[in-house]
């Protein structure tokens, strides 16, 4: 078999299974090129693709998350699992940064068929464990293509608040070698505290993480992805954008004035007052060190029409967060 055949066979099987359980097609998107004309002649093996995605933990989506416009059947694992795999496989990604992963072994078993390996860091006290039906703790995961990258080392840190007490949010940090160029780079996945009222908490978590990354990266190219649960105006996002690491937000490249996109999540939940609460904002990010990494393509965000009136999740999309994807070149 050629190198592409296992991938072609796997995505064919996943799509067939998906259609047998859920006839609604998965939302499809294209990539936007950021090329200035100089990238067209670059060797393809110098470019790699990453994806950032909060999968939506299965242990939460049918209970405490309260997606009232989403049909309950669409939240069932037998419907969601194949659309999740299909989204992961649809864009020929080389490194995945994932949050709210409570089905790590299931995803790992699938991706191993196309030569991926992965690491998982669960939350110390995952909210999934308090649900009647759960699949264990949720946490952060990083998967990488073994024929493109060598894992040199990995580390994890439990994020700290300002009182130096351990919190329930985590970050998974890996160091890789790009086998084509021999260059070494760092990757980090994180998921910060959710909900309004925790802005300072996220700020303290972000400050701690940024300090850890400055120490560990030591000038290496660095990609930081995650669900920050913070809009662009929040201090924790500004911590990253003003860091000595020289971070740039990948999706800010789509705006002439460097603004973030209008949304990375769009959902309607039942509120405490009994009224529906709609949230349409950007809280997911891909940060990269601009001095030694170039961003050349980005996955488009779907339109409101593509997402549909029921918003996210739905039969057409298995998570309340949209996946983000970028093509990078190590400089």
């Amino acid at each position: 078999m050629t190198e592409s055949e296992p991938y072609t066979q796997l995505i064919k099987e996943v799509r067939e299974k998906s259609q047998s359980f859920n006839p609604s097609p998965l939302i499809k998107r294209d990539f936007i090129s950021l090329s200035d004309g100089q990238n067209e002649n670059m060797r393809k093996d110098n470019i790699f693709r990453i994806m950032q995605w909060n999968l939506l933990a299965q242990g939460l989506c049918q209970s405490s998350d309260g997606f009232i416009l989403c049909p309950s059947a669409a939240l069932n694992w037998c419907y969601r699992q194949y659309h999740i795999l299909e989204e992961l496989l649809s864009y020929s990604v080389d490194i995945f940064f994932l949050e709210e992963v409570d089905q790590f072994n299931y995803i790992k078993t699938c991706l191993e068929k196309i030569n991926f390996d992965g690491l998982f860091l669960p939350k110390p006290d995952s909210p999934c464990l308090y649900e009647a039906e759960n699949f264990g703790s949720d946490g952060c995961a990083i998967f990488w293509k073994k024929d493109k990258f060598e894992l040199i080392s990995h580390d994890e840190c439990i994020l700290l608040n300002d009182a130096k007490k351990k919190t329930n949010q985590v970050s998974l940090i890996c160091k890789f070698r790009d086998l084509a160029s021999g260059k070494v780079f760092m990757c980090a996945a994180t998921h910060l505290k959710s909900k309004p009222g925790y802005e300072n908490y996220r700020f303290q978590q972000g400050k701690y993480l940024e300090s850890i990354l400055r120490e560990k990266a030591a000038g290496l190219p660095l990609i930081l992805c995650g669900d920050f649960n913070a809009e662009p105006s929040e201090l924790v996002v500004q911590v990253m954008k003003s860091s000595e690491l020289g971070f740039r937000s990948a999706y800010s490249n789509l705006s002439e004035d460097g603004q973030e996109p209008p949304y990375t999540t769009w959902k309607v939940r039942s509120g405490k007052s009994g009224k529906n609460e709609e949230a349409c904002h950007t809280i997911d990010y891909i940060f990269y060190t601009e001095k030694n990494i170039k961003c050349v393509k980005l996955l488009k965000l779907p339109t409101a029409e593509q997402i549909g009136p029921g918003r996210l999740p739905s039969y057409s999309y298995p998570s309340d967060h949209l996946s983000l994807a970028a093509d990078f070149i190590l400089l």
Side-chain angles (χ1 to χ4, degrees), residues 310-331:
R311 304 316 180 200
L312 303 172
S314 68
Y315 278 122
S316 296
Y317 203 77
S319 175
D320 56 329
H321 292 252
L322 295 163
S323 67
L324 308 178
D327 284 4
F328 287 131
I329 298 171
L330 297 174
L331 301 178

Side-chain angles (χ1 to χ4, degrees), residues 130-161:
Y130 299 92
E131 301 296 338
E133 295 184 12
N134 69 76
F135 295 86
S137 297
D138 77 300
C140 294
I142 294 178
F143 292 93
W144 65 94
K145 225 173 184 179
K146 292 192 294 182
D147 58 358
K148 292 195 74 167
F149 309 103
E150 174 193 1
L151 178 68
I152 297 173
S153 63
H154 74 276
D155 196 3
E156 60 266 358
C157 59
I158 306 300
L159 303 186
L160 306 184
N161 62 18

Side-chain angles (χ1 to χ4, degrees), residues 65-80:
D65 275 349
F67 300 115
I68 55 174
L69 297 186
C70 182
S72 59
L75 296 172
N76 191 290
W77 181 243
C78 71
Y79 284 90
R80 292 186 66 230

Side-chain angles (χ1 to χ4, degrees), residues 16-300:
E16 287 175 351
K17 289 179 180 177
S18 179
Q19 290 168 7
S20 68
F21 281 97
N22 179 4
S24 299
L26 182 69
I27 294 173
K28 294 297 181 186
R29 297 177 274 162
D30 296 319
F31 279 83
I32 303 171
S33 176
L34 304 177
S35 172
D36 54 10
Q38 298 178 358
N39 300 317
E40 301 303 327
N41 296 324
M42 287 187 173
R43 290 172 54 189
K44 289 185 177 180
D45 59 2
N46 288 338
I47 300 175
F48 62 97
R49 178 166 294 172
I50 70 104
M51 176 181 281
Q52 148 60 30
W53 195 22
N54 179 325
L55 302 183
L56 175 58
Q58 184 62 29
L60 300 177
C61 73
Q62 290 187 282
S63 51
S64 58
D65 275 349
F67 300 115
I68 55 174
L69 297 186
C70 182
S72 59
L75 296 172
N76 191 290
W77 181 243
C78 71
Y79 284 90
R80 292 186 66 230
Q81 61 179 315
Y82 298 115
H83 263 355
I84 287 174
L85 294 180
E86 188 178 355
E87 180 74 353
L88 292 173
L89 294 170
S90 287
Y91 302 108
S92 300
V93 172
D94 299 306
I95 304 177
F96 294 99
F97 299 70
L98 307 178
E99 300 84 46
E100 285 200 33
V101 178
D102 62 351
Q103 293 274 11
F104 175 74
N105 288 332
Y106 174 80
I107 295 171
K108 188 172 186 286
T109 298
C110 174
L111 293 180
E112 282 177 341
K113 296 176 182 178
I114 49 173
N115 206 29
F116 275 79
D117 202 353
L119 291 168
F120 174 61
L121 180 61
K123 293 174 182 174
D125 188 27
S126 169
C128 293
L129 298 175
Y130 299 92
E131 301 296 338
E133 295 184 12
N134 69 76
F135 295 86
S137 297
D138 77 300
C140 294
I142 294 178
F143 292 93
W144 65 94
K145 225 173 184 179
K146 292 192 294 182
D147 58 358
K148 292 195 74 167
F149 309 103
E150 174 193 1
L151 178 68
I152 297 173
S153 63
H154 74 276
D155 196 3
E156 60 266 358
C157 59
I158 306 300
L159 303 186
L160 306 184
N161 62 18
D162 56 347
K164 304 299 182 183
K165 294 179 181 178
K166 289 184 177 181
T167 71
N168 197 36
Q169 281 67 49
V170 298
S171 180
L172 177 60
I173 304 170
C174 298
K175 181 187 288 187
F176 293 105
R177 178 178 288 105
D178 175 39
L179 296 176
S181 66
K183 293 178 180 178
V184 176
F185 64 104
M186 303 282 292
C187 291
T190 197
H191 188 185
L192 302 187
K193 177 67 178 176
S194 65
K195 297 184 174 55
Y198 286 93
E199 291 81 4
N200 186 61
Y201 202 78
R202 289 189 285 271
F203 173 54
Q204 298 299 336
Q205 290 182 326
K207 281 203 306 182
Y208 176 73
L209 177 57
E210 190 272 344
S211 69
I212 290 291
L213 292 174
R214 270 191 286 115
E215 177 185 344
K216 290 187 176 296
L220 291 173
L222 170 62
I223 301 168
L224 166 63
C225 295
D227 174 2
F228 280 66
N229 278 305
E231 296 187 28
S233 59
E234 267 199 40
L235 286 175
V236 65
V237 177
Q238 300 312 310
V239 164
M240 299 306 168
K241 290 188 174 183
S242 62
S243 167
E244 294 175 10
L245 288 161
F247 276 135
R248 182 179 179 91
S249 171
Y251 273 76
S252 71
N253 285 300
L254 296 179
S255 169
E256 291 184 1
D257 57 0
Q259 297 298 306
E260 298 294 337
Y263 52 81
T264 61
T265 180
W266 195 344
K267 52 203 165 196
V268 179
R269 286 169 160 163
S270 54
K272 293 181 180 179
S273 63
K275 295 182 179 180
N276 295 353
E277 295 180 354
E278 186 167 5
C280 176
H281 52 186
T282 289
I283 56 176
D284 306 274
Y285 302 90
I286 297 173
F287 292 110
Y288 65 98
T289 50
E290 194 173 17
K291 64 184 177 182
N292 44 30
I293 301 177
K294 185 176 181 65
C295 184
V296 294
K297 279 187 181 181
L298 290 167
L299 182 63
K300 288 182 181 179

